[in-house]
Amino acid sequence: MRKFLMFLMVLALAFTFAVPAFAFENIFGGYWRTRAYMDKNFTGEDQTEAADVTKVDTRTRLYYTAKFSDNFKFVNKFEMDATWGDASSGYGDIGADGIKVEVKNSYADMTFDKTNAKIGVQGATICRGFIFDDDFAGAVVAYKASDTLTLPFIWVKAYEGGYGKDANDYDFDYYAIYPTINLGKATVNPLLMYAYSKDASNYDNFYTNPIADLGLDLTKISVYYLGADVDANVGPASVWFTGIYEGGKVDVVIESETESVDVKAYLLALGAGADVDKLNVHGQVFYASGADDSSDYKGFWVPAGQSYYWAEIMGYGIFDNQVSNASCGDQISNIMALNLGASFKASDKLTLNGDLWFAQLAEDDANGNTDLGTEIDLTANYKLLDNVTLDVVAAYLVAGDATTLESDDEADPLEIGTRISFGF
C-alpha cells in the first residue's frame, strides 16, 4: 500500500514537471471498506457445508483525476482487494507485501461544445444493470441536443480476436444508443443495443451462457435489445419501470452440425418508493423469461456485463460473495421476484431497514420445481463519523424446493455480517 501511494505521488509530480505549459488540478479520492460475515447452508442442505464460510475482507479504491479544464479530464481508478489471512488474495497474509493493484478505470473525458467523449477503460450502467453495470474498454460519446435531450452512443469492446487470418471473426462488440429524455417530473431512457461476434467460441468471460448450460457450443452471436427505463415522481412517491425485449439469433453446434437458433426473450421490472416523515416504504417486482421446450431460445440473457443486485442471499446484496443454490444472482434470467420493504430513520445517525423477498423460477427446473423461497433481510445503518458508516446485516431464506433440490438434508440459508466503510 505504501509503495503504491508513493508511486501515485511520483506520477503526479512527474506529470506536473513534464507538462509545465498546462495548469491543471490534481483531484484525489477513494473508497474503503472492511467486511466480516458468515454464510451457512447456501447449498440448501446442512450436511456437506460446501458453501459455508466465515471470512473478513478489505477493499481499497484510490482515484486520481488530472483536471486540465472543465472540458478535459484524465480519470484513473485503482483497486486493491484482500481476504484476511489469504496470501493468494493479495496483501492479506503475514508480511502484507502482496502485489495486487488492479486498474479499474483509466480514460480521457473530453467535451467539445455540446459533445462529451469518454475514451478508455471506464464504467457504465444500462437499464439499471438489467443489461449492463460494469467496467469495460471502449467509448461513450454523448451529444447534448437540448436541455431535455441527450444522445449517447456506447461502444463496448468485450473481446479482441488478436492477430492472424480471420482473427477479427473472434471479436466481440456491443453497440448501444441510450438517450436521456427529460420530461420534467419524468425521465425516459430508450435503449437500442446490439451484441455481435462472428465466432464467440474463443470468448471465455461469459457471465451467463445459457447455450453452455444446455451442453452445446455457441459460435455466432447476433442479438439485439429494445427497451426503455422510465423514472417519474407521482406526488410524494417515486416510480420506475424497465422493459426490455431481446431478439436475434445465435449459432450452436449440435453433433458437429451448426444450427441457427432464434432468441425471443424479455424482462419487465417495476418499482416504487415513498417517504412519510421518517419512514420510507418501497417495493419492486421483476420478471425475466426462462428457456422452455420450444425450438426458439426464450431465456433472457446478456453475454457479459449484466449486474443487478437485489436480496442479500438470493441476489448478492452487501456481501456479494455467493448466492443461494439455483438463484440467478445478479444476472437476472429465468426468475420472478417480489419485494416489499421499509426504512426508518430512528435518529440522525441510525437508520433501520427491513425487506421481504419472494422469488421463483420462471420455468420449472429438471425436477419440476420453481420455488426459490422467501427471504427476510434486516439491516441497521449507523453513522460512526461524518463519512464513516457501519452496516449490520442479518438475512434468512426460507428455502423453496428449487433451492433445496428436495434434499433429505434440507436447510435454510443464513447470512450474518457487518461492514464499515467510508468514501472521500
Side-chain angles (χ1 to χ4, degrees), residues 2 34 48 64 96 151 176 215 225 251 298 359 388 418:
R2 185 174 55 194
T34 291
T48 66
Y64 168 66
L151 298 168
Y225 302 85
D251 287 355
K298 296 184 178 180
V388 180
T418 185

Side-chain angles (χ1 to χ4, degrees), residues 233-246:
N233 293 318
V234 182
S238 60
V239 181
W240 61 267
F241 168 79
T242 294
I244 305 165
Y245 175 79
E246 178 183 7

Side-chain angles (χ1 to χ4, degrees), residues 20-99:
F22 290 105
F24 65 92
E25 178 183 359
N26 294 299
I27 303 172
F28 291 91
Y31 169 80
W32 177 92
R33 57 103 165 124
T34 291
R35 312 177 303 182
Y37 58 94
M38 176 191 71
D39 293 345
K40 286 186 66 66
N41 306 329
F42 272 48
T43 55
E45 46 80 38
D46 59 4
Q47 295 300 302
T48 66
E49 300 183 2
D52 287 8
V53 65
T54 300
K55 66 188 295 187
V56 182
D57 62 24
T58 292
R59 167 169 290 170
T60 302
R61 287 178 175 167
L62 296 175
Y63 308 151
Y64 168 66
T65 298
K67 182 179 179 181
F68 296 91
S69 69
D70 290 339
N71 295 324
F72 177 36
K73 296 186 285 288
F74 178 46
V75 182
N76 298 273
K77 298 181 181 180
F78 306 91
E79 181 173 288
M80 292 154 282
D81 293 318
T83 298
W84 289 18
D86 181 5
S88 64
S89 72
Y91 56 94
D93 63 335
I94 299 296
D97 285 332
I99 302 173

